[in-house]
Amino acid sequence: MLKYSLKRFGSTIIVLFGATLLCFPLLSWVGDPLEDLRYDTDPNAEFLMQQRIDFLGLDDPWYVRYWDWLSGVLGCLDPTNTVLGECDFGTSIGGSNVTDMIVNAAAMSLRLVLVATLISIVLGIGIGIISAIRQYSTFDYFTSFIIFLFWSLPPFVAAIIGKEYLAIQYNNWMGDPRFSAGNILLMAIILAIAVPIVMGGSTARRVITGSIMFVYTCTVMPLLDHMHFMEHPRIGPIGLLVLGLMLAVGLTALISGLKNRRVLYVALGVVAAAMISYYATWELLRQIPGGYLLLIGLFVLTIALCVIGARLFGGYAKGQATVVAVVTGVLMSALILLDHYMYSWPGLLSAKPRPVRTIGAETPNLQGDWWIHSLDHITQLWIPSLAMALMSIATYTRYTRASMLEVNKQDYIRTARAKGVEERTVVLKHAFRNSLIPLATIVAFDFASLIGGSIIVERVFGWNAMGQMLITGIQNADPAPVMAVVVFTGFISVLFNFFADLIYGVLDPRIRVS
Amino acid sequence: MKLRKLSAAAAIMASGALVLSGCTPGDDGENGNGDANGGADNGDANDVVYGEEGDFTQEGQAYIGGEPTDGTRVDLPEDFETREDTIVTSPGGVPFVNYNNDHTLANSVNNSVVAAQIHSGFWYYGTDLSINQNEDFGSFEITEEGDTVYVEDEDGEPEIDEETGEAVVDEEASTSYVIEYNINDEAVWSDETPITVLDYKLQWASQAYDEDAGFEPSGATVALYLPEGLEAEAYDSKTFTAEMPAFNADWQLMLSGPGQPAHLIAEEAGMTPEELNDAIDEGDVDALEEVAPIWNTGLGHHGEWDENQTLSSGPYQLAEWNWEGEETGGSVVLEPNENYWGTPPGTETLIFQFSDESTHVQALENLDYHVVSPQPDEDVADALRGLADSGDFIVHEGDTATWEHIDFQYEQGPFADTPELAEAFALCLPRQEIVEQIIQPINPEAEVLNAREIFNYQDGYDEFVEESYDGRYDEADIDAAAEIIEEHDAEGTDIQIHHFDVPRRSAMVEIIDTYCGEEGAGFNIVEQADANWSPGDEGWEGVGLFAWAGSGQIISGQNIYSTEGNQNTTGYSNEEVDRLWTTVADDVSDEERTEALIEIEQHLWDDLHGIPIFAHPGMDASDASIANVRSTAAQTQIHWNAEQWQRYE
């Protein structure tokens, strides 16, 4: 594995080198970096032109400039800054340090693209599987319709619609967030129709599910309204416990079946541990020394504890217990985190009465602690991410559905069914897992193309990430920022293809063996 | 049995939860971690008046301190105080890059917009391009009238320099003009050091010794027109004089703000203010070389700054600089300058956020921004008017100092071969139709512009036009044009129309084509849309369709219409016009200057240098609860009086 990784890393460097060698001369032949000055009526223009010629080394041939640039960038391979010199991506025409620019822009782009990818993986695969299982059902037709709508919706239109309804209208409503009787009734009717369609089953079962959903919505929404949930949301310990129990039971039922008590007890144990740590870490998380690093640390610790616990108490069902424990643990952590965010929500509302701005990645001059700033980032992030995710959701859904249907027709699935394996196991263990293999490739490709394609969404939301950097660089015929984007995007795409290869190994035992 | 065990386990956990629920962490019973209602409230609000539709007011806009009756700042009440509140505005996508607004890389409108809030100066542009002295800061006047004598040619007319296109001054016979500047005694930098002549001397030196010492200024006019520099009793005098060897009609524009704090730059360069003063007086380039890099970017640029160095001489100072790169994005947060001696600014926190104009309408609707200036087009105009209908927003409609026109190319092409064809083109040019179709959807009040040296929203426009233009091209006259074309046997002559490939201009060419093209007068109109085209390019033929951005200078037209002018790219030459420009630039009374300008315009109409079409419409919008927001024709944008903005509700 190590040898394989090193080999991949080596080839990455060569691929990137080739890409830069191709891009740099192309860039230096296209465009005129002095263009704006040529039409400048300022008597100083001559002088400025000479200044820029010296600065960009325009009198040198492209390979001399390329070497200057490359020797700076090669420094990035050397973290000690001694052998190869300092990491330096050069300077832009405007005199900015491109190393700082790319770090800044990459952080923003990654934030946007990572969240968009996560949203699209979860939604895309989820919807894809359900519509494959319920092929040619109402749900299948309905999602196909929606998916094709997403597909054909240009991102900037989606972005503008998102701004109108998810930001402006939402903020207007948040001024006095009340559910009217009409809202509640409408919501109840939508859910009463939608949930049975997703759940499936016989007509009688659908009617019952629908009625339950209707009554449930009509009770819960007025209750939330009464509690001022939209201004002061909390999950609280009871909510956490109830949701935890539902998770433990549900996941066990899904993955191993409720008959497997070992797994169920492990899952319940995880929920109990989560409840304890909810109280134990409350103060620590409020202070949150280290910010995101602490969260990541705690998260890793949670997974480790879940794995250890499941191994110790899982007994004969160790494998399934580990999966259930880890998934329960992760989701419980997410719920606890959500509760913390909810606790800070009123704080955000007082610092920022209209909680979703349509501009920028963060709110300037926002007063508040780490949680409020983090919430601000989330409120600013989610609409652009969603706008970017729409097209990926569509792609992933269609691929998952097709791939799932394909796998379902395979002989080994028929054999499994013939042997009397439960439908749950057939779908989750045999069909789903194998259908993910082609998807891993697509996600890896998609990630890199999302970075490059984010320019429109960036502009509509006033973000200043890599797309912006690329376009301005090309317009100004300014090599340093463009090359920085090329190197970074290239690196990310190679990296994600590498991840995809690793995931193949996990998904497909045949690859591991060879 | 097993099932019972399971429910027992669940029951134990559930009962545990009941015990726990009494103590939800962080639940202090009164939701004490924030006031969800938000918003700041600040005592008594000022009285406001609401504007009617007018030259200097906008219908529905509130004004604190009375409705404005001219282009100057609003007269604020004596007890005007800063209100604890936040106003966010965006001048567009280009960020604030340098504290030193005079640096060559800071030469953008947006940099000036922010810099205008952290610096004040001797004068400012009013909304009608008027030049107004800022009495808070100081005063200036010509104290000694000089006499500019020009070298005369054989005919007794002033001789014109063939390179510059300006009249040659007889330096021996001329005497200098002296301008005296007085800085308000209370005027101090935000570190309480007085603003003195030294600050201005440094500004002068940055231009006078730019290449020698390594200064990188964006202009050179101060050193050009005041070659002798500034005179004062001491380096820290509040009063100083400047000698102007030849009269410059735009003398008022030469010096405004103090630019950079010279005492701080001296300190950074390791010298005392006296030493800096001596270095400037003696032209000590070696010493100034130390100073130049600090002047260029040393006090704060590209988001690297120190609050002890970015000193303010204006109502606001820098509080936060969120740098996101030089292309776009980021924001600047301003807070009141506690040591500002004039009227305090209206709002505690003023935020300039830099985002593309296309984001502005929705951002205003969401109140992310309270004052916006989007690029006006029909869709934006409709959207903003839709918002204004609710009464929560105000649309500020007006004109800008940018004016659209066509120029005839006389150096080559059809108008060089047959200059009479220009007359035909002028006759068939549907100016009224263009304004109705292209501009009135944005600004219903828009009308055809009939002058080059004065705008239709400025005082005296009607009288000016009455004398300079007889209305001969008011109506498109296809028949008359066709007659001229026939007379010269020029049916089907290719007339290229060059422009920078802007959709609006393509639409204009289409309208021109229906009147002047084959269906109309009989030319063959060829559209040449090229984003890289420049009127300064060699060899283009036909007609150029573009806009000049007016700067409020009196003599900027000299560059365009005089024979040797830098911006004269169409081969236009009229000796009489050259001579008249010399009069305009000279020290003459306003009446005489206007007379000369009218005569110039008459010649430009007769010779058909080009034809003005319209002044570009401006469109800004603001949150109706903010008082004193006023659009302006000057390049200072709607933010020109941002320090007077205040929420009144």
Side-chain angles (χ1 to χ4, degrees):
Chain A
M1 191 64 215
L2 184 70
K3 194 177 153 199
Y4 174 73
S5 303
L6 284 177
K7 225 159 87 185
R8 276 308 288 245
F9 186 69
S11 67
T12 303
I13 302 280
I14 292 170
V15 167
L16 284 180
F17 176 74
T20 59
L21 193 57
L22 199 66
C23 284
F24 197 94
L26 285 178
L27 207 66
S28 64
W29 295 328
V30 179
D32 175 8
L34 300 175
E35 187 167 327
D36 55 323
L37 291 177
R38 289 194 206 281
Y39 304 133
D40 200 336
T41 51
D42 187 347
N44 216 12
E46 284 284 304
F47 169 68
L48 294 177
M49 225 185 268
Q50 192 54 48
Q51 213 177 19
R52 192 178 290 174
I53 288 172
D54 296 343
F55 178 69
L56 292 175
L58 294 179
D59 288 337
D60 298 327
W62 68 266
Y63 45 83
V64 175
R65 279 180 277 151
Y66 178 69
W67 174 248
D68 285 344
W69 174 82
L70 188 70
S71 48
V73 173
L74 283 178
C76 301
L77 293 176
D78 166 26
T80 55
N81 287 341
T82 46
V83 191
L84 294 171
E86 247 177 76
C87 181
D88 179 16
F89 275 91
T91 318
S92 75
I93 279 188
S96 290
N97 181 342
V98 176
T99 318
D100 293 346
M101 275 163 81
I102 188 74
V103 168
N104 202 340
M108 286 220 188
S109 275
L110 282 184
R111 213 192 293 166
L112 206 58
V113 174
L114 269 178
V115 173
T117 309
L118 274 180
I119 295 177
S120 32
I121 289 178
V122 171
L123 286 181
I125 295 181
I127 298 172
I129 287 180
I130 300 177
S131 48
I133 295 173
R134 310 217 186 294
Q135 194 188 9
Y136 304 139
S137 65
T138 323
F139 177 79
D140 189 26
Y141 287 125
F142 183 71
T143 46
S144 296
F145 168 72
I146 296 284
I147 288 310
F148 280 110
L149 192 71
F150 285 174
W151 215 325
S152 48
L153 200 64
F156 75 92
V157 177
I160 287 173
I161 295 175
K163 273 161 97 167
E164 177 63 30
Y165 290 101
L166 300 178
I168 298 171
Q169 301 297 344
Y170 170 75
N171 287 336
N172 288 345
W173 181 72
M174 276 305 286
D176 182 25
R178 289 279 84 94
F179 299 117
S180 68
N183 295 149
I184 296 174
L185 204 64
L186 187 71
M187 198 67 203
I189 290 172
I190 291 173
L191 286 177
I193 295 171
V195 173
I197 289 177
V198 180
M199 304 283 278
S202 65
T203 317
R205 195 174 147 192
R206 288 180 190 218
V207 170
I208 294 170
T209 328
S211 319
I212 293 174
M213 267 329 287
F214 187 83
V215 174
Y216 174 77
T217 317
C218 287
T219 352
V220 169
M221 280 183 66
L223 188 69
L224 292 180
D225 193 44
H226 180 71
M227 287 161 59
H228 289 258
F229 187 78
M230 299 313 291
E231 299 113 301
H232 301 283
R234 281 307 292 274
I235 300 178
I238 301 184
L240 209 56
L241 187 67
V242 171
L243 288 171
L245 291 177
M246 281 163 68
L247 273 178
V249 174
L251 285 168
T252 313
L254 198 64
I255 292 168
S256 67
L258 276 178
K259 281 188 217 124
N260 195 335
R261 283 297 148 77
R262 279 277 180 178
V263 176
L264 183 64
Y265 292 148
V266 168
L268 288 175
V270 170
V271 174
M275 290 306 297
I276 293 165
S277 63
Y278 172 59
Y279 282 95
T281 59
W282 180 266
E283 275 310 313
L284 177 70
L285 281 177
R286 287 327 297 176
Q287 308 301 333
I288 199 149
Y292 288 109
L293 283 180
L294 179 75
L295 286 186
I296 293 170
L298 286 177
F299 189 64
V300 171
L301 187 69
T302 308
I303 294 178
L305 287 178
C306 287
V307 171
I308 294 169
R311 294 270 150 191
L312 286 180
F313 302 108
Y316 63 91
K318 241 187 267 176
Q320 286 178 331
T322 312
V323 175
V324 172
V326 168
V327 176
T328 315
V330 166
L331 292 177
M332 282 305 281
S333 309
L335 285 174
I336 291 173
L337 189 64
L338 183 63
D339 191 55
H340 274 275
Y341 276 122
M342 285 179 162
Y343 179 74
S344 290
W345 182 247
L348 181 80
L349 284 183
S350 73
K352 191 183 171 196
R354 293 178 70 86
V356 186
R357 295 180 93 231
T358 58
I359 305 291
E362 59 195 349
T363 306
N365 203 36
L366 185 74
Q367 312 295 333
D369 59 9
W370 182 92
W371 287 99
I372 287 178
H373 281 276
S374 181
L375 260 180
D376 176 46
H377 285 156
I378 294 171
T379 52
Q380 293 306 97
L381 180 67
W382 85 276
I383 304 178
S385 309
L386 189 69
M388 280 176 70
L390 282 188
M391 207 178 271
S392 304
I393 293 178
T395 320
Y396 298 171
T397 308
R398 295 313 289 177
Y399 271 103
T400 316
R401 182 177 177 274
S403 157
M404 192 76 181
L405 289 174
E406 173 77 29
V407 172
N408 254 333
K409 290 197 196 92
Q410 300 284 325
D411 290 348
Y412 66 87
I413 298 288
R414 198 180 46 203
T415 313
R417 290 216 170 97
K419 269 172 68 184
V421 178
E422 271 177 88
E423 185 62 17
R424 185 198 72 238
T425 322
V426 172
V427 171
L428 274 179
K429 193 164 178 185
H430 300 289
F432 173 58
R433 188 165 173 166
N434 283 300
S435 67
L436 281 182
I437 295 172
L439 212 68
T441 322
I442 293 160
V443 173
F445 267 114
D446 208 45
F447 190 84
S449 70
L450 271 181
I451 290 188
S454 64
I455 172 71
I456 293 167
V457 171
E458 280 173 36
R459 184 159 292 188
V460 175
F461 286 95
W463 281 55
N464 189 24
M466 294 214 296
Q468 188 71 41
M469 199 169 149
L470 181 73
I471 291 289
T472 336
I474 291 174
Q475 278 167 352
N476 295 348
D478 186 2
V482 179
M483 293 310 294
V485 174
V486 167
V487 169
F488 189 80
T489 319
F491 178 71
I492 286 289
S493 78
V494 179
L495 187 75
F496 270 75
N497 276 307
F498 175 62
F499 285 156
D501 285 352
L502 292 185
I503 291 173
Y504 288 155
V506 175
L507 292 175
D508 189 348
R510 285 170 304 180
I511 294 176
R512 254 179 303 180
V513 174
S514 64
Chain B
M1 186 62 199
K2 273 187 175 172
L3 201 64
R4 201 176 297 151
K5 259 192 211 162
L6 179 62
S7 50
I12 290 167
M13 294 201 66
S15 61
L18 285 179
V19 178
L20 295 175
S21 70
C23 47
T24 305
D27 188 6
D28 45 15
E30 49 190 32
N31 304 310
N33 63 332
D35 161 23
N37 298 322
D41 191 41
N42 188 37
D44 308 331
N46 282 296
D47 291 335
V48 297
V49 291
Y50 293 93
E52 306 276 327
E53 190 74 47
D55 286 344
F56 300 103
T57 50
Q58 187 69 46
E59 196 179 344
Q61 171 67 46
Y63 302 96
I64 295 171
E67 208 170 300
T69 52
D70 56 17
T72 60
R73 288 175 180 147
V74 182
D75 289 321
L76 295 173
E78 294 268 313
D79 57 351
F80 189 73
E81 277 179 11
T82 305
R83 181 183 162 119
E84 204 175 298
D85 189 19
T86 300
I87 291 179
V88 191
T89 179
S90 176
V94 180
F96 179 67
V97 295
N98 197 329
Y99 165 74
N100 179 6
N101 192 47
D102 297 327
H103 186 254
T104 173
L105 293 181
N107 195 10
S108 74
V109 172
N110 290 0
N111 211 82
S112 315
V113 162
V114 177
Q117 295 303 323
I118 48 183
H119 294 299
S120 55
F122 284 113
W123 61 271
Y124 63 94
Y125 278 122
T127 60
D128 53 354
L129 298 177
S130 58
I131 295 159
N132 306 288
Q133 293 211 8
N134 176 10
E135 281 158 19
D136 278 347
F137 188 84
S139 60
F140 60 101
E141 58 181 340
I142 290 185
T143 48
E144 251 177 69
E145 301 261 336
D147 187 17
T148 310
V149 180
Y150 298 98
V151 178
E152 291 181 356
D153 60 14
E154 303 90 51
D155 310 329
E157 300 284 347
E159 193 179 306
I160 306 291
D161 185 323
E162 289 198 357
E163 272 186 28
T164 61
E166 288 169 21
V168 182
V169 176
D170 182 348
E171 287 179 13
E172 307 250 316
S174 301
T175 51
S176 294
Y177 286 75
V178 175
I179 316 170
E180 186 179 290
Y181 291 88
N182 283 296
I183 305 169
N184 187 338
D185 285 339
E186 293 170 40
V188 289
W189 291 99
S190 50
D191 67 352
E192 298 185 58
T193 310
I195 296 169
T196 66
V197 63
L198 187 59
D199 300 316
Y200 285 91
K201 277 188 163 181
L202 180 61
Q203 193 178 351
W204 178 84
S206 73
Q207 299 186 1
Y209 303 108
D210 55 348
E211 288 185 40
D212 301 333
F215 291 102
E216 295 161 2
S218 60
T221 46
V222 178
L224 190 66
Y225 292 113
L226 306 175
E228 301 302 316
L230 311 173
E231 289 296 325
E233 280 180 18
Y235 74 92
D236 57 355
S237 295
K238 286 266 184 188
T239 299
F240 61 95
T241 57
E243 250 184 53
M244 183 166 60
F247 184 80
N248 172 4
D250 291 314
W251 64 274
Q252 298 184 81
L253 307 183
M254 277 185 301
L255 288 181
S256 180
Q260 305 260 303
H263 65 281
L264 190 67
I265 290 187
E267 190 186 312
E268 289 290 310
M271 50 175 92
T272 61
E274 290 98 322
E275 284 166 357
L276 176 63
N277 187 53
D278 293 344
I280 295 171
D281 285 348
E282 290 157 16
D284 180 350
V285 173
D286 290 339
L288 289 176
E289 268 177 3
E290 303 286 310
V291 174
I294 301 162
W295 184 88
N296 290 337
T297 53
L299 296 190
H301 72 112
H302 291 82
E304 288 163 27
W305 67 293
D306 175 350
E307 58 180 6
N308 297 319
Q309 295 193 325
T310 52
L311 299 183
S312 162
S313 62
Y316 282 104
Q317 63 190 24
L318 267 182
E320 223 178 276
W321 190 347
N322 304 306
W323 178 254
E324 282 185 13
E326 66 192 1
E327 307 96 7
T328 179
S331 59
V332 168
V333 180
L334 303 181
E335 63 187 11
N337 167 10
E338 283 177 9
N339 291 313
Y340 184 59
W341 60 97
T343 314
T347 303
E348 182 73 28
T349 310
L350 179 66
I351 301 176
F352 287 96
Q353 192 170 359
F354 306 103
S355 75
D356 194 76
E357 280 91 348
S358 62
T359 63
H360 284 193
V361 177
Q362 282 188 313
L364 177 70
E365 191 181 357
N366 199 24
L367 294 175
D368 301 332
Y369 294 154
H370 304 107
V371 180
V372 296
S373 42
Q375 296 281 0
D377 64 27
E378 215 178 318
D379 296 336
V380 168
D382 283 347
L384 287 180
R385 290 204 186 97
L387 287 182
D389 284 343
S390 69
D392 295 334
F393 300 96
I394 308 263
V395 179
H396 301 262
E397 285 164 17
D399 300 288
T400 64
T402 305
W403 55 285
E404 191 85 6
H405 65 282
I406 60 156
D407 276 358
F408 295 103
Q409 176 58 275
Y410 290 106
E411 290 204 65
Q412 58 269 322
F415 302 118
D417 303 337
T418 325
E420 292 82 358
L421 289 181
E423 168 86 13
F425 193 87
L427 281 169
C428 67
L429 184 70
R431 297 197 294 156
Q432 186 62 36
E433 175 92 14
I434 289 173
V435 171
E436 275 170 22
Q437 289 203 15
I438 311 263
I439 302 306
Q440 287 186 352
I442 303 168
N443 176 10
E445 316 273 302
E447 50 183 62
V448 172
L449 180 68
N450 280 324
R452 302 157 183 85
E453 294 300 320
I454 186 167
F455 286 105
N456 39 13
Y457 49 84
Q458 280 176 302
D459 269 350
Y461 171 80
D462 290 336
E463 298 81 35
F464 188 95
V465 170
E466 202 167 295
E467 288 190 45
S468 61
Y469 169 64
D470 55 12
R472 63 186 99 157
Y473 304 121
D474 277 358
E475 297 288 329
D477 188 343
I478 296 177
D479 296 335
E483 224 169 88
I484 298 176
I485 295 172
E486 254 171 61
E487 211 175 289
H488 293 90
D489 202 18
E491 289 96 339
T493 307
D494 284 352
I495 302 289
Q496 300 184 357
I497 302 186
H498 295 264
H499 65 83
F500 306 118
D501 198 11
V502 181
R504 180 151 90 192
R505 295 204 172 115
S506 290
M508 285 166 70
V509 173
E510 244 170 68
I511 299 173
I512 295 173
D513 190 33
T514 53
Y515 280 76
C516 300
E518 274 158 1
E519 313 274 297
F523 287 120
N524 181 31
I525 301 292
V526 184
E527 184 178 2
Q528 296 282 349
D530 176 3
N532 292 326
W533 177 73
S534 156
D537 288 354
E538 290 287 315
W540 59 274
E541 299 180 355
V543 168
L545 174 63
F546 62 104
W548 288 119
S551 55
Q553 286 176 16
I554 295 164
I555 54 166
S556 58
Q558 186 171 21
N559 242 336
I560 305 172
Y561 307 114
S562 61
T563 308
E564 301 297 336
N566 281 334
Q567 291 171 313
N568 179 355
T569 58
T570 58
Y572 179 81
S573 175
N574 181 330
E575 276 187 22
E576 190 64 9
V577 171
D578 292 352
R579 189 188 59 75
L580 284 163
W581 274 117
T582 308
T583 312
V584 173
D586 202 354
D587 179 20
V588 292
S589 70
D590 287 350
E591 289 76 33
E592 264 181 273
R593 184 171 291 129
T594 308
E595 276 308 308
L597 284 171
I598 287 173
E599 268 187 66
I600 289 175
E601 288 265 2
Q602 286 168 346
H603 285 293
L604 292 175
W605 281 110
D606 290 342
D607 303 343
L608 278 175
H609 169 274
I611 301 179
I613 307 178
F614 56 81
H616 280 207
M619 182 164 268
D620 305 293
S622 65
D623 179 348
S625 63
I626 295 173
N628 292 347
V629 181
R630 296 173 67 196
S631 61
T632 175
Q635 289 191 5
T636 44
Q637 295 206 29
I638 192 157
H639 313 93
W640 73 283
N641 69 338
E643 76 281 358
Q644 298 195 317
W645 297 347
Q646 190 174 69
R647 199 181 302 277
Y648 65 94
E649 280 173 343

